[in-house]
Amino acid sequence: MLLAQPSPLTASGLSSPGAGTGTSASNAPITPSAQPSTGGQIQADPATNSLIITAPEPQYRQLRAVIDQLDGRRAQVLVESLIVEVNADKAAEFGIQWQNILGTSNSSVIGFLGTNFRGSGTGGANIIDLAIGAATGEVRPAPGVNIAAARNINGTFVLGLLARFLEANTDANVLSTPNLLTLDNEEAKIVIGQNVPFVTGQFTNTGTSNSSVNPFQTIERRDVGLTLRVKPQINENGTVRLTIYQEASSVQPGTERDTNGPTTNKRTIESNVLVDDGSVVVLGGLLEDRYGGNQEKIPGVGDVPVLGNLFKSEARRRTKSNLMVFLRPVVIRDTSASDAVSIDRYDLMRTKQQNTQPANSVIVPVNQAPIMPEITTVPPPLDTWKPLSPPPATTAPSVR
């Protein structure tokens, strides 16, 4: 909104003949006219989103032409991100332990012979520790197939042989698709995850005579999950410059209750890229193939082909990790494009709600889950935009 107020103008004129001085009109000096004002005043009124301009008419017209170009609908950018992570972990373990007593109860000297491994091939389960556990009734063999043999010595069964076999396969396939809509040249951020506490310090009264200060801990909470921060800038040729910060973090399983706090796995990309409108660009990733092995054996005997397997423990592991991050910016310049994107996402979520309705039950008479209302006004289709992730293959059932 513009409010214009023209500046007062000063008129110029000639002196009348013989006015006051008796000088003729031909000899009278010309009174200089007021110089045109080159200044103006512009004030903003945030409450009404208006500009109050006080300036001469020519200058006002120039300002108005500039303001008309600035006062327009700003373009928006829909940033679609794909985070694809595929992991494969394969492990195999094999180990044989045995022990035997040489001699009888009448012998003055009794010998002991056997193998004693505690590596990965035996799952960290030592045969001597298992024998003691069997005597006390607390036997905890390692995971996998355990084949054992016990010997009866004076009415007591003593573990004499333990063979262990284990093969484990672990696969993981993670697909994350964070989407974010923001104005041109404006930074936006989305965080999806948990706010995990981390212990940063503590104080105890242990070993001190002064107990006036109570024990305490200082905790800092950090976001763990998925974070996308992006600032797009649309160029005149249709390309989009993106300043991107992408983070995917998670808590390492089994470390949630560690004394020093949980351990987090973190994958971060921070970059500046130039992408065409609607094109897909790969930001980066990681392809990792790792192998590890561990072997324990009796020197010499463990190297004998076939027979040496009775005197060794071995474990092998191979881990593959594939991580890629893709990005696609889509410029939205008008209302129809914005409506097309919004309606598509709206219908996608409504379809998923319809497909997850509970089955009808007489015993548990709660047979409906909330569903988003249907939008009757359908915007014109947008041919230049299609969702980066494929739509669901299932057809939504009719729900009353």
Side-chain angles (χ1 to χ4, degrees), residues 101-110 153-154:
I101 297 178
L102 303 178
T104 63
S105 58
N106 297 325
S107 302
S108 58
V109 178
I110 297 178
I153 300 178
N154 296 329

Side-chain angles (χ1 to χ4, degrees), residues 124-205:
N126 184 273
I127 188 173
I128 297 179
D129 295 337
L130 291 176
I132 297 175
T136 59
E138 298 179 359
V139 180
R140 298 175 182 176
V145 177
N146 293 273
I147 301 175
R151 180 181 178 184
N152 190 349
I153 300 178
N154 296 329
T156 302
F157 287 94
V158 179
L159 187 62
L161 174 67
L162 177 63
R164 178 176 178 268
F165 305 86
L166 175 64
E167 182 175 347
N169 295 307
T170 304
D171 296 327
N173 189 342
V174 181
L175 174 63
S176 303
T177 57
N179 300 329
L180 196 58
L181 179 65
T182 181
L183 287 173
D184 178 26
N185 207 28
E186 294 288 344
E187 182 177 320
K189 178 181 178 181
I190 182 173
V191 178
I192 304 172
Q194 295 178 323
N195 203 245
V196 181
F198 290 84
V199 178
T200 58
Q202 59 182 353
F203 173 79
T204 60
N205 288 328

